[in-house]
Amino acid sequence: MTAPVWARLADLAELRPGFPKRQTPHRGGTTGGVPVLRPPDVSDGELSDRPDLSVPTAEATGLARYRLAAGDILCVRTGRPGACAPVTPRQDGWLHSDTLFRIRPTSAVDPAYLAHYLSSPAAQGWILRRVHRGTGIPSITGRDLADLPVPLLESAAQREAAEIMAAVTEKIAVHRQIVETANELRTALALQLFSAPK
């Protein structure tokens, strides 16, 4: 494999924070509105399918520049800086709050490769070393995140790396499901086999 060329994240993707706080989303799920993703909706490299905030569709028309598209990557800006997850077709057209950065890759980098790299120990360590804690809430600035060095492999090597990581990630998901099912079975058996103390 050819040695990578290192590039700044800002040279490979557009970084944009979400819509400002003066646009207040509504609680109560996504019924009748456009879902809004926040840091709690980013977990284990995935985005929630059911965020608890939304913006009425009529108001969302003025927020078009904050719309997400499949292939984007969301990165937490405040609270848990650096936590990242790719945007899937399920979240296409949704919005993101200003506590998240939207990272939109250019044609120079494979979106899946970049998403996996951003979640790697190397990238996460780099980000955590640049977290600001002055206000008591950990955060990272767009300027700092823009400087993140990214190893830019050849296109074929990027796709190969992304495919390998995706296969391993899928295996992890399967094993988590097995563990969850086994735990549920153990609880059900315990309820049947053992009487409650009196």
Side-chain angles (χ1 to χ4, degrees):
M1 183 181 292
T2 305
V5 175
W6 290 87
R8 295 171 64 245
L9 179 60
D11 296 328
L12 303 174
E14 174 202 54
L15 276 68
R16 180 188 290 275
F19 65 87
K21 290 182 179 178
R22 63 176 179 271
Q23 298 283 138
T24 305
H26 300 273
R27 291 194 177 274
T30 59
T31 304
V34 178
V36 178
L37 292 165
R38 301 176 303 135
D41 299 312
V42 182
S43 178
D44 293 327
E46 295 183 349
L47 297 175
S48 171
D49 281 342
R50 294 185 295 274
D52 65 355
L53 295 183
S54 64
V55 167
T57 305
E59 292 181 26
T61 56
L63 301 172
R65 64 185 179 279
Y66 303 110
R67 292 272 190 169
L68 298 170
D72 290 344
I73 303 160
L74 286 181
C75 183
V76 175
R77 184 171 72 87
T78 61
R80 294 179 298 118
C84 296
V87 175
T88 69
R90 164 72 175 148
Q91 294 97 23
D92 193 277
W94 290 10
L95 298 165
H96 64 300
S97 75
D98 64 350
T99 51
L100 298 170
F101 287 115
R102 183 191 72 197
I103 300 172
R104 179 161 289 171
T106 67
S107 59
V109 64
D110 182 84
Y113 169 80
L114 183 59
H116 284 297
Y117 173 70
L118 289 172
S119 295
S120 72
Q124 288 295 301
W126 189 95
I127 290 170
L128 291 176
R129 288 192 297 273
R130 285 154 182 82
V131 166
H132 301 267
R133 304 178 188 275
T135 62
I137 301 176
S139 64
I140 187 165
T141 66
R143 180 175 297 178
D144 283 337
L145 188 59
D147 285 335
L148 172 67
V150 179
L152 195 58
L153 304 173
E154 295 178 355
S155 296
Q158 289 182 37
R159 289 192 296 272
E160 182 180 2
E163 288 169 3
I164 291 171
M165 291 299 296
V168 174
T169 301
E170 185 177 349
K171 287 183 181 296
I172 291 171
V174 169
H175 284 285
R176 282 178 177 163
Q177 184 60 52
I178 291 171
V179 170
E180 183 177 336
T181 302
N183 280 328
E184 291 173 355
L185 176 60
R186 181 178 63 180
T187 300
L189 286 172
L191 289 172
Q192 291 182 16
L193 297 172
F194 306 112
S195 301
K198 296 181 179 179

